[in-house]
Amino acid sequence: MTVMELLRGGTTTDRGSVDPAGLRRAALAGAGAAAVSACVFVLPALLVWVAASQSTVPWTSALGTGASLWLLGGGAHLRVGAATVTVVPLLFLLLAVLGATWSAGRATFDSAQDREPRPLRGLVHRRLVAELGAWTGGYAVCAALWWLAAALAGPTPVAWTVALPVLVIPVLAAVLTLVRHVRRRPELLGEAMRRPGWLPAAVPRGLRAGLEGAAVLVASGIVVCVVMVVLHFDRVAHLQSELSPGVIGGAVLVLAQLAVLPNLALWAVSFLAGTGFSAVEGASATWTGSRTSILPMVPVLGALPEPGAFPGALPLLVLVPVSVGALVGWRALRAVSRLSSQRTKLGVVAVAVVVTAAAVGLLDVLGGSSLGAARLARIGAPAGSMTLALLVEVALGSLVALGWDRWKLRR
């Protein structure tokens, strides 16, 4: 027995029984995670209210506005007058999930170290499940209180979309935490979860390759956005100076644009895939060319291409998602034995391709497509068309990887 095992044995329970005190700590940790996350928006809103000495609105309105913006960052939609805002800053959403996962991991660390895990009904260690459930409940209750504050004094959240920041984020964080614990200690799972008979073997093998492919596509979109900003930095800087936001306001404006960088990256991915995007009604970009219109005073929109026809060779950009498809196919094939049957390989690659296209499409749906009414009611990439185009293009690239693998086996 190692020193670490001796220490573990002296500091954790042998029975794996549920500890009420541990449940309370986990619930408080979940509530604290939601409170800290909300303060990212609530505290600046209150500071602005304090700084505005001539403001006639009560402090509760600033509190409600901050709470509403936090719910928007978590995936909820807001009603502002007759308009509905659905654009969710995906970077903040990612950070919110990562922060919640870190909090849940700390809250359940001790239960994950129990020497003798006792799976609940043969599924997952009983104490770990209980504490993850308590953490999720604490987070959800605190998030619901922020929803109440937003509904009473801020822009009204659309009720059905509030499920994302209130329920989906803590549940997702709990699942990710469980996955992290199980990777370190597989014995936390019972036999029924270690070898689930209902799940086809191709799904877990192709899942990782598919998610990696989606990440590469988004990263490619970010690279395109950065290049466009660099090439048109003079226009971006001019729009920033025209707004005269000041030092603090300028910093907030830059952070806000960084928060939607993944959203803009999805616009670029849609352009690479051939389905294009729309900045506002009347301003769009596809392979054939760019159209312009009156744009909102958002500095990063100054990086949009000049209006007019594009070179005829631009459709060759489709090679980017096709190349990502080849990468996805190669990564998926590495998850199976080289001598596996072609049917097995094809199944794993097919799962990876579907996951890649579906993940990017889901991100675009989560990112939203409305910044208000009229000309801002429909912006961004067409999620459905982009997903179908990526499915075809990534599949073509993966077929190249399959063909290469088969050729190598025949040599």
Side-chain angles (χ1 to χ4, degrees):
M1 181 176 291
T2 64
V3 175
M4 291 304 299
E5 288 174 336
L6 288 171
L7 291 175
R8 179 184 295 171
T11 57
T12 60
T13 176
D14 290 337
R15 298 173 298 172
S17 59
V18 177
D19 179 17
L23 296 181
R24 288 193 295 270
R25 287 193 297 268
L28 289 175
V36 170
S37 177
C39 285
V40 173
F41 288 97
V42 172
L43 288 181
L46 291 175
L47 288 175
V48 169
W49 177 82
V50 171
S53 57
Q54 297 181 351
S55 176
T56 58
V57 299
W59 68 272
T60 52
S61 295
L63 179 70
T65 299
S68 296
L69 291 176
W70 176 69
L71 292 171
L72 177 67
H77 299 168
L78 300 181
R79 285 198 181 95
V80 183
T84 301
V85 177
T86 67
V87 174
V88 175
L90 291 178
L91 182 58
F92 177 80
L93 179 60
L94 172 64
L95 294 177
V97 172
L98 292 178
T101 304
W102 176 83
S103 171
R106 285 181 57 88
T108 58
F109 179 79
D110 288 344
S111 60
Q113 304 306 311
D114 286 340
R115 281 199 302 173
E116 298 179 4
R118 292 191 174 183
L120 178 64
R121 297 184 179 179
L123 298 176
V124 185
H125 179 37
R126 182 189 306 271
R127 183 181 171 207
L128 179 58
V129 169
E131 292 189 0
L132 281 174
W135 183 93
T136 302
Y139 189 106
V141 169
C142 184
L145 293 177
W146 288 117
W147 175 22
L148 179 62
L152 292 177
T156 306
V158 179
W160 69 269
T161 64
V162 176
L164 280 163
V166 174
L167 295 176
V168 174
I169 286 182
V171 170
L172 178 60
V175 171
L176 292 176
T177 300
L178 178 61
V179 170
R180 288 179 60 192
H181 287 323
V182 169
R183 282 182 177 176
R184 295 170 183 167
R185 298 192 65 202
E187 60 268 26
L188 292 172
L189 292 183
E191 285 297 323
M193 289 294 290
R194 292 183 195 177
R195 299 180 180 87
W198 51 269
L199 186 66
V203 174
R205 291 177 177 177
L207 181 61
R208 180 170 181 174
L211 293 177
E212 289 175 351
V216 171
L217 281 173
V218 175
S220 301
I222 291 176
V223 170
V224 172
C225 291
V226 172
V227 169
M228 294 299 294
V229 169
V230 171
L231 292 177
H232 301 97
F233 186 75
D234 54 340
R235 289 190 295 182
V236 174
H238 175 71
L239 287 174
Q240 182 89 1
S241 62
E242 285 293 314
L243 291 174
S244 301
V247 177
I248 297 178
V252 171
L253 186 58
V254 169
L255 289 175
Q257 292 175 98
L258 285 176
V260 296
L261 179 58
N263 303 63
L264 300 177
L266 292 173
W267 296 14
V269 170
S270 183
F271 184 83
L272 295 174
T275 49
F277 63 88
S278 174
V280 295
E281 183 181 353
S284 61
T286 62
W287 284 347
T288 57
S290 173
R291 294 189 303 160
T292 189
S293 180
I294 300 176
L295 297 172
M297 289 289 286
V298 179
V300 72
L301 294 182
L304 291 174
E306 293 282 355
F310 291 148
L314 202 65
L316 290 176
L317 288 173
V318 74
L319 292 177
V320 175
V322 171
S323 300
V324 173
L327 175 64
V328 168
W330 176 69
R331 292 289 294 166
L333 289 173
R334 291 190 63 185
V336 298
S337 171
R338 188 182 180 189
L339 298 179
S340 297
S341 66
Q342 287 298 315
R343 182 177 179 179
T344 299
K345 292 180 178 180
L346 184 60
V348 174
V349 171
V351 169
V353 169
V354 171
V355 169
T356 297
V360 174
L362 178 60
L363 280 177
D364 192 57
V365 171
L366 286 175
S369 60
S370 174
L371 266 179
R375 297 171 59 250
L376 294 174
R378 186 100 183 141
I379 65 173
S385 301
M386 178 180 67
T387 302
L388 291 176
L390 287 175
L391 185 63
V392 173
E393 293 156 5
V394 174
L396 288 174
S398 67
L399 287 177
V400 173
L402 278 170
W404 176 258
D405 177 75
R406 187 170 184 179
W407 178 80
K408 287 196 304 180
L409 286 176
R410 286 186 171 184
R411 284 187 357 178

